Amino acid sequence: MGTAARLWRLARGDDTGAEAGSMIEPLYLGGEIAVVERDLAGEKVKEISEEGIAQLLKEGRELQRELCDLPLEERLGVVQNLAEIWRERLAAGELAGLKLDLQRNTGYPSRLIDMEMSLVAKALDIEEIKRNLASSLIGGKESLYSFAEVTKGEYIRNMPAGPALIIASGNSIIPTLIPTVISLVTGNFTFLKPSITNYNAVTEIFSGLRELMSKSPAARLMARSLCVSYLGHDSPGLKTALTSSPFGVVNYWGGEPGRSVVAAQVAQNPWHPKLFFNGPLTGVALIGKGADSEDVARGLAMNMVIYEQQLCSSPTIAAYLGEYNDALAFAERVGTHLDAIGSTFNTEVSNDALFVTHSARKILALKGSKVLASRRTDNPWTLAISPSRSNLDEVMRSFPSFNIHGRRRFLEFVVLKDMIQALDLISSIPGMKAYTGIDKVQTVGMALPESMRREALRLLPSSGAYRFVPIEDMFMRSAVEPYDGMPLAALFTYAVYERARPIPLEVGF
């Protein structure tokens, strides 16, 4: 699998509410649009107004018809050019201010922000987008432009289900970028509400359309078909968009309580938009004796450090199938790699967070876990090895802030006897106090001997987990993967069926 083929990643989907460093304004290149200025925690923010949303959607369906008449290769060509503009600006050092903005808003290490920004152009790789469309749509990517034969005399054409409203969140840029681009290339007028944390980065990427629209009619059409605007949780514009505006698709990224509010408001919408959620998820590492190599230890440490375990795929608990002493020896090797890798991704941790982490270590030790830990405050990793059962919920009873969002560079190894116990552990995670707010397990990163691997693939899909991948790169995503169990492009389209000939009746009348 090539590098670009593995860049489709998911963030956990949490809006930290961190403040942006500059004025927040909508990005819409189709002409003048009505906005309203609001105060957001002391910062002035310009949002598309209720009137502006109505103005956009009045033209939205006509723009979708024009996009459907635009050959797919021309749509993808615009995306490719966007990627090229980003790549050139990054190489020229023009995005240094944006990097500082992202670092300040997310709290991620500088090196991680460098990696994140370098991945943007690759996430816009049109060959990967083609693979995603081909695997998501009955009839393949050709069905986006005309009827495609799926069996003799029977055809499917996939039409845009929008206009689409995407309510994105999270610190990472890529999970916001991917559904937006898929929505656009499948022919939808797309209204994107990013997280305030990554707002400036997202608008910077799509601002490349301003340069392109003077060079090609295709770019001009796609620029007119996209609007990016921040809308506060209590924004009248957001409420109007959800309850009464003629959207065809609403895609919400995040958990409660926002998800239930959005669901209730969309239920009132007389246009009955298709509604789908991408909720908070997490990852589990599954290691078996005999497959616990040095590469696996290094890969597990890497996945704990990058994105500070805030991706839906990040390992936040591990099951070790084998003996306790083997698990301890493996954890010690993971600790060695955490020292090495973590020191190149130095992080800033508040005194309060350090106090909670130290306290959690003590409670885990009192409950019978062996605790390995770093003394460095800029790389404060913790590994706990617990026989038979997790002790994390015991910590949560005393320190609720040591929750899934507060635990960084932390992993508990639960030593288990067999795959049935692993199935029980993975299935129980959504009900654990330590995982409050998490819907379920998204990713199981596996390092197992072949016989165990076959048993895992027989038993564990019933756990509800969506992905089974190697531990070493469990944060990476292939373009052909479904998104949390769903083919992404299919969610932004509806399939139209044509049969060119009658079906012969086997009984006469």
Side-chain angles (χ1 to χ4, degrees), residues 32-54:
E32 294 293 325
I33 196 74
V35 299
V36 61
E37 189 168 304
R38 303 182 71 232
D39 186 276
L40 184 70
E43 186 174 4
K44 297 297 182 184
V45 175
K46 287 184 179 177
E47 302 178 353
I48 301 287
S49 68
E50 296 171 83
E51 178 190 358
I53 292 172

Side-chain angles (χ1 to χ4, degrees), residues 252-265 275 277-280 437-439:
Y252 179 83
W253 291 69
E256 301 298 341
R259 174 168 49 188
S260 292
V261 171
V262 167
Q265 293 187 336
L275 173 64
F277 299 106
N278 292 88
I438 292 298
D439 287 359

Side-chain angles (χ1 to χ4, degrees), residues 242-255:
L242 294 171
T243 59
S244 61
S245 297
F247 282 102
V249 174
V250 175
N251 176 207
Y252 179 83
W253 291 69

